[in-house]
Every structure is written in structure tokens, then in C-alpha cells.
Amino acid sequence: MSGSQILFADLLGDAIEFVKLPEQGCTSEVRKVVIPDGIYIMKSATKVKYREWLKSEAEVLQALSCQNSIPVPKYFDFIEEDDASHLLMSFEDGITLTAAIKNAGTMKEKQRLVRSFGQFINRLHEQKAVLKSETDWLETQLARARVYAESGQADGSLTLLEQLERVKPQKVKQTNIHGDCTTDNVLVVDGEVRLFIDVAGMTLGDPRYDESLAIRKIRDHPELLAFFYEGYTRYRVSDEEYHYFEEGLYEFF
Ligand SMILES: Nc1ncnc2c1ncn2[C@@H]1O[C@H](COP(=O)(O)OP(=O)(O)OP(=O)(O)O)[C@@H](O)[C@H]1O
Ligand SMILES: [Mg+2]
């Protein structure tokens, strides 16, 4: 038994079952924790960079724990050990939108899913600001990107970063954003997108970043993109904006 399992054993009582989930991301290990009175998710990270992200995720979930306007898992605990951090949250039903689209038997079903994704993000962006921030989101992201690029922790090059710093898109009003709004990071229940997961980047920020990441897999599929925009009606990124965010900034995270 590892240290973290002992800690959570103290927290949750005896008779714990830990099941590694079949679907894993690249920054953490996610396990289902089964105890007699419920099911939880334990998300663990070991690399410094990813431990910082996990800590942000814990802070976001904690900040959102007394609201229900943005659907996210419920926060239970965050534990930092010497060489790993662990976030404990509610286990939520559903499958990722990536899996749901892959499993969909018909184009109509895929279109409904994509429209639901658009609606779900539209709601987040239109809602009154829940997570406050005094700073300019893009400036903060560019500064973080520089730290990652200079320490060799990013795919993007310093040349690309300098371009992004030099030519920025015109400012738009900051809104609630997810911050890593791909089809991997929302869960689908009964054919509808219902929940945001992986919320480390959720804050007040540039909604065009979410929109660009949301459409990255369907941009060249007009038969799906049109349905996304039936749900996401508030704005439509230009090609320049899309390139700036999806092929630019995202290269550093
Ligand atoms: N609260 C939850 N309830 C049920 N399943 C979850 C929950 N959180 C995560 N999962 C499952 O674990 C998988 C990975 O979770 P998540 O996206 O948070 O981690 P990650 O992908 O490692 O993070 P990153 O995208 O930063 O690499 C998800 O695809 C989902 O299947
Ligand atoms: Mg993820």
C-alpha cells in the first residue's frame, strides 16, 4: 500500500478498493475509490508542473463547492506528500465526449452531441462571472508559457512565443472559461454534455481559447461544425483567432 492509500484510508475508513480507470490522461493517474458509503475519484500527480495543475484544480473545485451554476465534481480533499499530490473528488457518471462521439452509431447522434457541447460552453461563457480574477488572462498565460518554454517544458518554441507576444488578438470581454476545453474534459450523460472535469484552468479568461479548443477536432468537418454553432451562438472565432489560440498558445500547455 502506498502512502497516499494509507492517508485516504484514514480519511475514508476501511474496506477501500482502488481501481485504476481505463481512460487516463497524460498528466495524472486517475483511480476510482470504492468505500461502503460511496464512490470517489482520486487524481494523483508526481511531476512538479502537474502537481501545480492539480493544486489549481483542487482550488477551483473548492471555490465552486458552494455553487451549482457550473457543473463540476464535488471537492473532498487535497493531499500533498513529498513526491506526489492527490485530489479526492466525487465520482461522476458519464463518459467523455470523445468516447461518446466515437461510440455514436449515426451522424445524427454525433451532431446532437456536438450541438450539446456548444450549448454547454455557451452557457458557461454567458453566465455571470463566478471565479473572479483581477488580472488579464492572456498576459498571465503568456508569462506562464514563457516559464515553460524557457525551462524546456513546452512543445512550443521561443520563436513562436515571441510571435504570440508581438501580435495579440483584439481584446474581448473576459468570461468564465474552462481553460482546457477539449472533448476529453467534459462528461456526457444520456446523450447530453453535463459536466466539466479537469478544471485546473477554469477562471475568468478569454472565451475564444475555449471555443478554439472545442472545435479543434471538428473544424474540418462542416457537417459537425455547423451543429456546434447551433449550440454555441454567442461568437464565432476568425481563422486568425483560431490559429492564435489552438496552434499558438495551446502549444505551451
Ligand atoms: N470526477 C470524475 N468522475 C468520473 N470520472 C472521472 C472524474 N474525473 C476524471 N474522470 C475520468 O478520468 C479521466 C482522466 O481525468 P482528467 O481529464 O481529469 O485527467 P487528465 O486527463 O490526466 O488530466 P490532463 O488532461 O491534465 O492530462 C477522464 O477522462 C474520466 O474518464
Ligand atoms: Mg483531461
Side-chain angles (χ1 to χ4, degrees):
M1 223 188 203
S2 79
S4 62
Q5 290 184 358
I6 293 162
L7 277 169
F8 282 121
D10 290 347
L11 190 78
L12 301 172
D14 309 322
I16 294 180
E17 187 191 340
F18 282 83
V19 186
K20 200 170 155 190
L21 292 190
E23 229 180 324
Q24 294 284 334
C26 41
T27 67
S28 65
E29 196 165 279
V30 182
R31 294 191 196 83
K32 193 169 167 178
V33 183
V34 184
I35 60 165
D37 74 337
I39 306 176
Y40 298 83
I41 282 283
M42 180 168 104
K43 184 169 172 180
S44 307
T46 50
K47 273 196 182 171
V48 175
K49 178 182 174 187
Y50 301 141
R51 290 180 69 174
E52 281 167 11
W53 292 8
L54 195 60
K55 186 172 188 165
S56 302
E57 184 171 355
E59 286 166 357
V60 169
L61 289 182
Q62 205 167 10
L64 293 179
S65 60
C66 32
Q67 59 85 51
N68 48 22
S69 54
I70 303 180
V72 292
K74 278 185 251 342
Y75 171 85
F76 284 101
D77 205 359
F78 180 65
I79 290 170
E80 289 180 301
E81 298 181 297
D82 287 346
D83 43 16
S85 304
H86 313 276
L87 167 62
L88 190 71
M89 62 186 136
S90 58
F91 173 84
E92 300 288 341
D93 282 330
I95 56 170
T96 64
L97 178 59
T98 308
I101 291 174
K102 196 165 156 227
N103 296 346
T106 61
M107 176 54 74
K108 221 171 174 177
E109 210 180 316
K110 288 185 208 285
Q111 288 169 332
R112 271 202 295 267
L113 285 164
V114 164
R115 181 171 56 206
S116 163
F117 189 31
Q119 269 163 355
F120 195 63
I121 307 168
N122 201 80
R123 206 172 310 135
L124 175 74
H125 291 175
E126 287 294 303
Q127 241 164 277
K128 111 176 178 321
V130 176
L131 293 154
K132 305 274 183 252
S133 161
E134 299 307 316
T135 57
D136 181 279
W137 178 85
L138 183 55
E139 293 304 329
T140 308
Q141 295 316 106
L142 289 169
R144 290 178 65 206
R146 179 159 279 281
V147 172
Y148 294 148
E150 285 175 349
S151 56
Q153 298 186 77
D155 292 338
S157 67
L158 277 167
T159 315
L160 172 61
L161 182 61
E162 275 150 23
Q163 271 172 31
L164 298 176
E165 289 168 339
R166 223 175 17 246
V167 187
K168 293 175 202 150
Q170 280 216 332
K171 278 198 197 307
V172 296
K173 183 172 163 273
Q174 301 201 116
T175 69
N176 297 312
I177 62 164
H178 177 279
D180 189 8
C181 199
T182 66
T183 53
D184 289 336
N185 290 334
V186 290
L187 295 187
V188 171
V189 179
D190 292 337
E192 302 270 349
V193 176
R194 293 273 177 82
L195 190 89
F196 290 110
I197 57 167
D198 213 356
V199 295
M202 193 174 267
T203 184
L204 208 58
D206 195 318
R208 292 170 299 185
Y209 190 56
D210 277 358
E211 188 191 337
S212 301
L213 297 198
I215 62 171
R216 63 202 290 259
K217 293 276 172 66
I218 56 171
R219 201 162 164 264
D220 297 327
H221 298 273
E223 71 286 10
L224 288 175
L225 193 65
F227 278 80
F228 177 85
Y229 283 111
E230 274 191 16
Y232 193 79
T233 52
R234 63 184 301 280
Y235 191 75
R236 208 171 173 132
V237 281
S238 67
D239 289 347
E240 291 74 29
E241 289 167 330
Y242 176 81
H243 293 309
Y244 186 92
F245 290 108
E246 205 281 331
E247 288 160 9
L249 193 59
Y250 194 47
E251 288 292 295
F252 298 87
F253 294 95

